[in-house]
Amino acid sequence: MAVLEAPTRPHKKRLSSDRQEWGSPATYFIAFVFIALCLGPVIYIILGGFRDNSQITNSPAGFPNPWNFDNYAEVLASSTFWQQVGNSMIAGLATTIGVVTLGLMASFILARYRFAGRGAMYSLFAAGLMFPMTVAITPLYILVRDLGLMNSLAGVILPQIAFGLPVTIIILVPFLKAIPDEIEEAASIDGTSRLGFFFRMVVPLSLPGVVTTGILAFVASWNSYLLPLFILSDQATYTLPLGVQAFASQYSVDTAKVLAFTSLSMIPALIFFTLFERRIVGGLTGAVKG
Amino acid sequence: MLLAGPAIVVFVGFVILPVVLAGYYGFFRWKGFGPATDFVGFQNYMIIFADSAFHDVLRHNGFILVLSLVLQGPIAIVLALLLNRKIRGRSLIRVLIFVPYIISEVIVGIGWGLMLQTSGSVNGLLENIGLGAFQRDWLSDPSIAIWSLMVIISWKYIGFAVILFLAGLQSIPDELYEAAAIDGASYWQTQRSITLPLLGPTVRIWAFLSIIGSLQLFDLVFIIWGQYVASTAGTSTMATYMVANGRTSGNFGYGSAVAVVMFLISLVIALIYQRFVLSRDTAGALTEGKK
């Protein structure tokens, strides 16, 4: 299971000649500059929330002086913000559970059974990877409307599950293929049915892949913009990305408050990512190697 | 087999069916209410291909596609080689460079939009360090706006490329480097003859994802420029054109036809790419089904 090992494997031994040719201060310097460029805008957003509007107008690139906690306090005290956090949570968790459950079942079939049309089925899902939601959004909107799911989170969740399946299946199939046949034989000798094998052996053994795909699905749902933009027009059903944008246009003169709202809305995805970074990187490795 | 049933139903219902429906609606003049009855044949398509605004978005998408590959690819490979070396805090660095990729497009758009406006922090910073002469209207000047967009796109997505390449580097067996060292190869010889060829499959997959992403670009442009300003600032894409001329103006038939054109352009490019580039990787995720 190279997929599991990749992120935690001790780093390969470097050749001694490398270090002499490349002074390591230069490496650190370039890494530092790159990190600074990556984080600069994020820090701008977070610090901007601690300033007030006159500070931002007078010195657009300055630091908070004095520090102002009112913006964050006001956002945290507003029921709109928490309602949107709740909506995003519901959509994210439901999407994650749906993608992982359906994806695991389909991957199990694709990985462990030989049947006519198996290649075609895999290609069908893999093809979905090539076509993100943008292409299908107009008819998808009509479809969801005709199903009576406009302005409901279900209208966002179901398409998100469908569009999350390709990545999930492509990551999970190698995991399930890697389970040795001997385990399945042993299980069947012990009188376990195929379904029993699925629940008792496959689910626990593929847990790392399941976590990876689950996190990817959750973060994708948490950040999803286009689909909610089409489906959710009632403020009460807004997820955070829509809420952030509505807030930004509603309070366009109150830059500091917009920045506070924006930085608070990115915290959950960042926490999730930090906790599971190794798994995500590991899962991507598996996907690349196929 | 039954286990795969729900996945197939959901996938066909919400992915395949809408794409097929787009093909159907594209032949109608249809406002989205009641059944589509006003069949107009290929008229929508003729309007699309005659519309100079659509020519603009094609040019913008092409520009973004090529520049994403040319800018992000080499920079990401160099950074990945650098970060693959044994340095302190490597795992922390890997988390930090992935941060822009994890943040939602909405947040990136709002943050960069505020930074790049004429009274924003980028111009403020230039003023502070004595480069006030370089202050620009980064978002509305049509000769600059698409470069601003390129900077934002690169900022957002380069971390993903670096992480992918790092993962690819980790899968190169140590024995090859040991053998190269015994043969007396220099650092650069080793990189050129071992690392880069073996990183090939990863780079080709990344390029594929980048190309598809460039063709579908929507969120960032829509959030920063909105649906109408984007065309005057020169940053509109096929997807923003589709939304502005489809759903927003209530022309669902026309919007569907634009979606079909987008789909076909993506499909043709994807197939050409698979046929001539990805087919070199025998076990690539996207080619496995066709073995």
Side-chain angles (χ1 to χ4, degrees):
Chain A
M1 290 259 246
V3 173
L4 300 181
E5 290 163 4
T8 49
R9 196 166 69 184
H11 187 57
K12 62 171 76 73
K13 280 168 254 134
R14 303 306 312 188
L15 308 169
S16 55
S17 62
D18 293 4
R19 218 169 296 146
Q20 286 156 4
E21 280 184 52
W22 274 81
S24 58
T27 309
Y28 285 106
F29 178 72
I30 296 172
F32 176 78
V33 169
F34 184 55
I35 297 294
L37 287 174
C38 282
L39 295 186
V42 179
I43 292 168
Y44 161 78
I45 295 173
I46 297 171
L47 287 184
F50 286 110
R51 310 176 74 198
D52 62 37
N53 286 308
S54 63
Q55 290 180 32
I56 292 177
T57 314
N58 293 333
S59 166
F63 283 92
N65 180 34
W67 288 68
N68 175 343
F69 298 92
D70 295 350
N71 300 310
Y72 282 102
E74 274 174 50
V75 172
L76 286 173
S78 88
S79 58
T80 325
F81 175 75
W82 290 107
Q83 187 180 39
Q84 288 161 1
V85 171
N87 288 339
S88 279
M89 269 302 171
I90 295 170
L93 291 176
T95 304
T96 307
I97 293 168
V99 165
V100 168
T101 312
L102 298 189
L104 191 60
M105 295 193 304
S107 306
F108 178 63
I109 300 289
L110 283 169
R112 312 284 310 176
Y113 296 97
R114 305 249 145 226
F115 55 91
R118 178 184 157 278
M121 191 171 138
Y122 190 85
S123 298
L124 182 75
F125 283 116
L129 198 64
M130 288 187 247
F131 302 108
M133 208 177 270
T134 324
V135 162
I137 191 68
T138 307
L140 195 57
Y141 160 76
I142 291 162
L143 190 72
V144 170
R145 196 191 60 192
D146 292 349
L147 289 172
L149 294 174
M150 285 298 286
N151 278 319
S152 80
L153 290 175
V156 173
I157 293 165
L158 283 171
Q160 281 185 171
I161 292 175
F163 279 88
L165 282 173
V167 172
T168 308
I169 287 173
I170 278 172
I171 292 180
L172 285 182
V173 164
F175 267 89
L176 299 184
K177 272 191 179 154
I179 299 174
D181 288 341
E182 289 77 15
I183 293 187
E184 187 168 5
E185 283 158 21
S188 82
I189 289 169
D190 291 348
T192 313
S193 68
R194 280 186 158 179
L195 268 181
F197 171 69
F198 178 74
F199 284 111
R200 293 205 196 150
M201 306 301 304
V202 172
V203 174
L205 284 173
S206 58
L207 206 58
V210 166
V211 172
T212 304
T213 53
I215 298 297
L216 285 176
F218 184 85
V219 172
S221 166
W222 188 268
N223 291 341
S224 143
Y225 174 68
L226 179 64
L227 185 67
L229 179 72
F230 271 66
I231 306 294
L232 308 173
S233 51
D234 178 2
Q235 290 254 5
T237 61
Y238 273 12
T239 52
L240 265 179
L242 288 184
V244 171
Q245 210 207 3
F247 192 89
S249 40
Q250 191 183 344
Y251 294 91
S252 56
V253 285
D254 197 347
T255 310
K257 209 167 167 189
V258 169
L259 289 171
F261 197 107
T262 308
S263 44
L264 285 173
S265 77
M266 67 184 157
I267 290 175
L270 283 181
I271 291 177
F272 260 87
F273 173 69
T274 318
L275 290 178
F276 296 102
E277 175 260 346
R278 275 159 190 272
R279 293 243 183 270
I280 294 179
V281 174
L284 289 174
T285 322
V288 168
K289 286 192 286 189
Chain B
M1 273 307 281
L2 278 177
L3 279 175
I8 294 174
V9 169
V10 171
F11 184 73
V12 170
F14 288 97
V15 179
I16 305 293
L17 181 65
V19 174
V20 173
L21 280 176
Y24 174 75
Y25 293 140
F27 290 116
F28 292 86
R29 181 183 296 126
W30 186 44
K31 291 289 184 185
F33 296 101
T37 49
D38 190 359
F39 183 81
V40 293
F42 283 94
Q43 197 192 328
N44 285 332
Y45 293 94
M46 279 145 69
I47 298 172
I48 293 171
F49 287 114
D51 186 357
S52 67
F54 191 74
H55 301 160
D56 288 344
V57 301
L58 281 181
R59 218 175 43 246
H60 301 155
N61 275 114
F63 182 88
I64 293 163
L65 190 159
V66 172
L67 253 76
S68 294
L69 294 177
V70 173
L71 288 179
Q72 293 175 35
I75 296 177
I77 290 176
V78 169
L79 284 168
L81 286 177
L82 215 70
L83 294 178
N84 198 35
R85 302 165 60 79
K86 201 179 226 160
I87 58 175
R88 274 172 182 277
R90 219 163 51 100
S91 56
L92 179 68
I93 292 173
R94 288 208 312 200
V95 174
L96 293 181
I97 57 178
F98 217 44
V99 164
Y101 184 72
I102 289 302
I103 297 174
S104 77
E105 272 83 359
V106 175
I107 293 173
V108 171
I110 290 174
W112 276 94
L114 288 171
M115 283 166 53
L116 289 175
Q117 63 188 359
T118 39
S119 61
S121 61
V122 170
N123 279 341
L125 193 65
L126 288 171
E127 179 85 53
N128 290 354
I129 57 176
L131 294 173
F134 289 97
Q135 292 184 348
R136 290 286 181 280
D137 187 352
W138 304 104
L139 295 178
S140 340
D141 185 338
S143 60
I144 300 176
I146 198 160
W147 291 97
S148 303
L149 177 62
M150 278 316 304
V151 168
I152 302 170
I153 291 174
S154 305
W155 179 81
K156 172 108 174 72
Y157 296 109
I158 204 165
F160 177 70
V162 174
I163 294 291
L164 271 187
F165 295 163
L166 273 173
L169 288 176
Q170 306 246 311
S171 66
I172 298 174
D174 291 347
E175 291 76 16
L176 294 176
Y177 291 106
E178 282 154 20
I182 291 167
D183 290 347
S186 74
Y187 177 80
W188 286 111
Q189 280 174 327
T190 312
Q191 302 307 318
R192 206 181 57 235
S193 314
I194 296 179
T195 312
L196 290 181
L198 287 176
L199 197 57
T202 313
V203 174
R204 289 193 281 274
I205 290 276
W206 164 77
F208 182 74
L209 296 174
S210 172
I211 289 170
I212 296 297
S214 302
L215 292 172
Q216 313 276 343
L217 185 69
F218 172 79
D219 294 5
L220 282 173
V221 177
F222 195 80
I223 290 155
I224 299 177
W225 283 276
Q227 45 195 324
Y228 300 114
V229 185
S231 53
T232 55
T235 55
S236 49
T237 65
M238 287 193 283
T240 62
Y241 177 89
M242 176 186 79
V243 172
N245 293 287
R247 190 206 167 196
T248 310
S249 42
N251 297 316
F252 287 88
Y254 190 74
S256 298
V258 178
V260 171
V261 173
M262 262 175 83
F263 177 82
L264 291 178
I265 291 175
S266 307
L267 182 69
V268 167
I269 292 179
L271 288 179
I272 292 174
Y273 192 84
Q274 267 207 348
R275 174 75 184 75
F276 291 102
V277 184
L278 287 185
S279 58
R280 295 165 64 180
D281 310 323
T282 47
L286 294 168
T287 51
E288 184 172 334
K290 298 200 170 68
K291 260 194 296 200

